[in-house]
Amino acid sequence: MRKTLAFFRLFFVSLAVFCTASSVFGKDHIHTVVRKKLKVGYYENEAFQEGASDGAVKSGYAYEYLQKVSSMTGWQYEYVYGSWAEVYSAFLRGDVDLLAGLGYSASRLPYMNYPDYPMGYESYYLFVRSKETSITRDAETLRGKKIGTIPGLLQDAIGTWLADRNIKSEIVVFDDVYQRDVALEQGDIDAYIGEGSSVSVNEFNKPLLKIASVNMYLCVSKNRPDILKELNMALSELDSNDPFYVNRLSEKYFSNSALTVRISPAEHEWLDNHDNTLRVGYMDNFLPYCGTDSKGNAAGILVDAMEVGFKKIKANHEIKITYQPFQNAEDMVTAIHNHDIDVIFPVSNNVYYMEQNDLFKSKEVITSAMNLVYLNKMDEDTTATIAINRHNQIQYDYAQTNLPDSKMILYDSVSECLDAVNSGHAGCAILSGLRASVLLRNSKYINLNYIELPASTTKCFGVSTHNLGVLSLLDRALNTLDSKDTLTFTYKYLENESVYTVREFIKRHQALVFYICAILFTVVLVAVEIFISKNQKEKLYFKFAYKDSLTGAFNRRAYEEDVMAFENQKNQKYVCVSMDLNGLKKVNDDLGHLAGDELIKNAYILIAEALWQVR
């Protein structure tokens, strides 16, 4: 009985320990998260959803948006591939849980759930062949034409638009955008309706008319109301934490669409009136932003941005760009108002100061930090006086805005500003973050230091308020660039901005150079000592290994190695002579070993003289 009770007691104690351990380790150490698996309809659409097949690399606006949602909900996706028509039908049947890129329509409400927040904004445009002349912005020119579309809201939009204008055209419905695009290229249709943001530019299409505008959504199947609440919570959090997320996505994926890179009729008109030439004025000696190279050509971020941007946009004729340098901002602004040039660079993105100069600013080109340069160390008087380059309007505006209590002392160049700080005539100077670290390499500025200021500056192009036609053309080219482009432009100019010579390095780092030289000298001395010691040891080793210490003659070991070497050489003739020294033992015994040693040495001398050579 006692054994039975003991067994049950042990059993229950073990069970309790097991349960406790399971609870502890299950709660604190094993975090097994079961991710909800959802089926996502995935169709091929350039820039919007790419990689619509097993194993293909996926990318695009909608794909990245889906991944963002997944990072907030924990959802795991199973992709259902097909044409737009196929995945849309599967979505309506309930075989697909999520489908991206659906425009809002009240007629769709019975068939799908819309979340509270759109995934973006879309405009529907009518596209025609790039050389099409029979179809114009006059809607009447579409009468009797074949217009392609894909099923869904695009089809409804073009149908409604034509009906409102009482225009009869043949609507041709395709399963996906690829079939639609090929049909236009081959001339099977005269035009098609497509999303303005995701239709890529090519030689066969150009946007002509805006048909409709809608919000687009990541929609949820009617069969899955359980995930609609999770999606709304995630999108609400995204909107609170990162309200401009979809704007950045649009800029990332849609900046090179046909809608953004095709020049508008108004822009073509401006180019026609200006001989397809854009005249650009720039501040000289302001690299990496702008300057003149050794051959007299314009250089800097300015040139690269213009060349890359205008190469991407599509115009009827090649756009020529000319450059004119200026030594100060006042002359440059005067020149643009006199219509000697069309565009100036750089200007600040400060709208107030732009208005004072009767200018409009372009899209931002590059944003950089500003640095405060000072002598030795900062104190309360450092910013009392600021050295300002009188020809740099951006620098002047920055100081006036961010350091209004400081007294500005104007100089004719940036080098004069740095010299003033270096000599104590000014407490500090302001330099762009892209220039400070390079310009201060000069050894004469060895005592100057710099810190980054809280506010940054953004460089833009400026155009006259009386020359508006060029602004949209300029922005169109700049919209094709992203921040990586401008950073890439920057690096090559920073390398050439200031040559950091060995002499300047030595001046700036005298203590370091002294220690390095001392260390190198010590290392050389030690190396020489080791070499000499090693050489002496090798000589001693050779002496003891192959020579007799008493006579200096080669010993038996040397003899055997020489004989072996001769034997290994074919057709080599040699003679061995063997001699014996008699009476050595008697001399050692009668006269002592010193006498015996003398006998051996003199015998060696006589033999060597007799043979005329010693090895």
Side-chain angles (χ1 to χ4, degrees):
M1 184 66 180
R2 288 182 179 178
K3 290 183 179 181
T4 302
L5 290 174
F7 170 78
F8 278 108
R9 187 181 296 115
L10 179 63
F11 172 77
F12 285 115
V13 170
S14 300
L15 181 61
V17 171
F18 174 77
C19 292
T20 302
S22 299
S23 174
V24 170
F25 285 102
K27 180 183 294 184
D28 298 334
H29 299 279
I30 303 175
H31 298 282
T32 304
V33 178
V34 179
R35 300 180 65 187
K36 186 176 291 185
K37 294 185 178 181
L38 302 179
K39 292 184 177 180
V40 174
Y42 203 89
Y43 55 93
E44 192 75 24
N45 191 354
E46 189 173 2
F48 187 73
Q49 272 185 167
E50 298 184 11
S53 61
D54 288 329
V57 176
K58 294 176 175 54
S59 64
Y61 183 101
Y63 176 72
E64 191 164 333
Y65 186 84
L66 283 164
Q67 295 306 307
K68 186 68 173 180
V69 171
S70 174
S71 71
M72 304 180 75
T73 59
W75 292 344
Q76 185 176 6
Y77 300 134
E78 176 187 341
Y79 297 101
V80 178
Y81 304 114
S83 66
W84 160 255
E86 290 170 342
V87 297
Y88 184 61
S89 297
F91 178 67
L92 295 179
R93 291 195 308 268
D95 297 334
V96 167
D97 302 315
L98 293 169
L99 187 60
L102 290 171
Y104 179 82
S105 173
S107 62
R108 284 178 167 176
L109 291 176
Y111 309 104
M112 62 191 71
N113 291 317
Y114 286 91
D116 295 337
Y117 297 86
M119 65 180 294
Y121 171 86
E122 187 59 270
S123 295
Y124 298 156
Y125 276 79
L126 190 73
F127 290 83
V128 297
R129 285 187 294 276
S130 57
K131 297 181 180 180
E132 178 66 61
T133 57
S134 63
I135 302 176
T136 68
R137 289 176 175 271
D138 183 358
E140 286 295 325
T141 59
L142 290 170
R143 194 176 297 277
K145 301 293 186 179
K146 291 183 178 180
I147 303 176
T149 184
I150 58 174
L153 210 57
L154 283 169
Q155 182 179 354
D156 296 342
I158 188 62
T160 301
W161 189 85
L162 291 170
D164 290 344
R165 288 156 180 78
N166 197 27
I167 296 173
K168 290 186 178 181
S169 300
E170 182 181 349
I171 305 298
V172 183
V173 182
F174 297 93
D175 286 342
D176 55 42
V177 294
Y178 175 76
Q179 295 176 0
R180 178 200 67 188
D181 294 350
V182 171
L184 180 68
E185 179 182 336
Q186 295 178 347
D188 297 333
I189 57 176
D190 302 298
Y192 68 71
I193 183 174
E195 299 91 342
S197 61
S198 58
V199 175
S200 295
V201 66
N202 58 55
E203 59 182 304
F204 301 106
N205 67 16
K206 67 177 179 181
L208 187 69
L209 287 170
K210 185 175 180 179
I211 302 300
S213 297
V214 295
N215 284 329
M216 61 178 179
Y217 291 82
L218 175 62
C219 286
V220 178
S221 169
K222 278 291 185 182
N223 293 347
R224 297 301 304 268
D226 56 310
I227 63 175
L228 180 62
K229 183 177 180 181
E230 294 179 47
L231 178 59
N232 279 328
M233 291 177 62
L235 296 182
S236 176
E237 183 179 354
L238 178 61
D239 183 67
S240 299
N241 298 339
D242 193 356
F244 302 108
Y245 174 75
V246 293
N247 293 336
R248 293 199 307 276
L249 272 189
S250 295
E251 185 174 357
K252 178 179 180 179
Y253 288 103
F254 299 150
S255 61
N256 291 315
S257 70
L259 189 62
T260 57
V261 301
R262 280 285 181 192
I263 291 180
S264 70
E267 293 160 359
H268 271 302
E269 182 180 356
W270 188 92
L271 286 171
D272 291 340
N273 293 333
H274 291 78
D275 195 28
N276 292 302
T277 301
L278 185 65
R279 301 167 300 171
V280 181
Y282 67 92
M283 284 289 295
D284 205 359
N285 300 317
F286 198 51
L287 289 174
Y289 303 106
C290 49
T292 305
D293 64 19
S294 58
K295 297 180 180 179
N297 299 319
I301 296 171
L302 157 71
V303 177
D304 291 322
M306 295 294 281
E307 290 183 353
V308 173
F310 277 91
K311 186 179 293 185
K312 291 181 179 180
I313 64 176
K314 305 298 179 181
N316 293 339
H317 304 285
E318 181 183 358
I319 300 173
K320 294 176 290 185
I321 303 174
T322 63
Y323 299 95
Q324 181 178 343
F326 290 87
Q327 298 304 314
N328 59 73
E330 292 84 355
D331 290 346
M332 191 166 64
V333 172
T334 300
I336 197 172
H337 288 315
N338 289 339
H339 306 291
D340 297 328
I341 52 177
D342 306 307
V343 177
I344 61 176
F345 182 85
V347 297
S348 168
N349 69 331
N350 188 309
V351 179
Y352 174 75
Y353 292 113
M354 293 295 290
E355 183 187 18
Q356 303 310 301
N357 288 288
D358 206 18
L359 297 171
F360 288 134
K361 70 179 185 67
S362 72
K363 180 182 181 294
E364 299 173 353
V365 177
I366 187 170
T367 298
S368 60
M370 294 295 282
N371 290 331
L372 188 75
V373 181
Y374 57 94
L375 181 65
N376 293 324
K377 64 179 181 178
M378 286 194 66
D379 55 37
E380 57 184 12
D381 296 326
T382 297
T383 58
T385 54
I386 305 178
I388 297 292
N389 181 358
R390 70 173 75 250
H391 304 306
N392 189 329
Q393 188 66 37
I394 295 177
Q395 193 179 94
Y396 182 89
D397 294 346
Y398 183 92
Q400 197 171 47
T401 301
N402 297 283
L403 297 164
D405 297 329
S406 302
K407 178 184 177 182
M408 288 187 283
I409 306 175
L410 302 182
Y411 294 91
D412 289 330
S413 67
V414 64
S415 59
E416 288 187 14
C417 292
L418 295 178
D419 290 340
V421 177
N422 205 26
S423 62
H425 290 100
C428 62
I430 296 175
L431 285 180
S432 163
L434 295 178
R435 290 167 58 81
S437 60
V438 177
L439 293 174
L440 296 183
R441 288 177 182 174
N442 193 311
S443 59
K444 71 177 181 177
Y445 302 134
I446 189 172
N447 294 320
L448 295 184
N449 299 300
Y450 64 92
I451 59 169
E452 185 174 314
L453 292 167
S456 59
T457 60
T458 299
K459 277 72 176 175
C460 306
F461 287 92
V463 301
S464 170
T465 56
H466 305 292
N467 192 9
L468 299 183
V470 71
L471 183 59
S472 62
L473 177 66
L474 185 61
D475 280 342
R476 188 178 299 279
L478 295 177
N479 279 331
T480 66
L481 306 177
D482 58 31
S483 58
K484 291 183 291 186
D485 290 324
T486 51
L487 284 176
T488 302
F489 303 154
T490 301
Y491 296 140
K492 61 181 179 181
Y493 298 110
L494 287 178
E495 292 176 357
N496 299 324
E497 176 69 5
S498 177
V499 178
Y500 200 29
T501 64
V502 174
R503 183 178 180 182
E504 289 180 350
F505 177 85
I506 293 174
K507 284 185 177 181
R508 183 170 287 273
H509 305 284
Q510 293 179 8
L512 177 62
V513 171
F514 173 78
Y515 287 126
I516 291 175
C517 291
I519 292 171
L520 289 176
F521 182 72
T522 303
V523 169
V524 171
L525 286 179
V526 172
V528 170
E529 179 68 24
I530 292 173
F531 174 77
I532 294 174
S533 176
K534 182 179 180 181
N535 191 41
Q536 290 176 342
K537 288 180 180 179
E538 288 179 350
K539 288 181 179 179
L540 288 173
Y541 171 76
F542 181 82
K543 179 179 179 181
F544 290 126
Y546 292 95
K547 287 192 174 183
D548 177 64
S549 59
L550 180 62
T551 62
F554 288 99
N555 59 18
R556 180 178 182 126
R557 180 177 181 179
Y559 162 76
E560 291 176 347
E561 288 188 6
D562 281 349
V563 171
M564 187 180 297
F566 281 125
E567 289 178 349
N568 290 335
Q569 296 180 15
K570 296 180 179 180
N571 302 322
Q572 180 70 37
K573 295 180 179 180
Y574 61 94
V575 175
C576 290
V577 178
S578 178
M579 298 182 183
D580 189 20
L581 182 60
N582 295 325
L584 178 61
K585 184 177 186 306
K586 183 173 177 59
V587 171
N588 285 332
D589 293 341
D590 295 344
L591 301 175
H593 286 282
L594 291 178
D597 290 345
E598 286 295 321
L599 176 61
I600 294 173
K601 286 191 287 185
N602 285 299
Y604 166 69
I605 293 172
L606 290 174
I607 294 171
E609 291 177 352
L611 296 178
W612 286 70
Q613 62 180 4
V614 180
R615 180 184 171 186

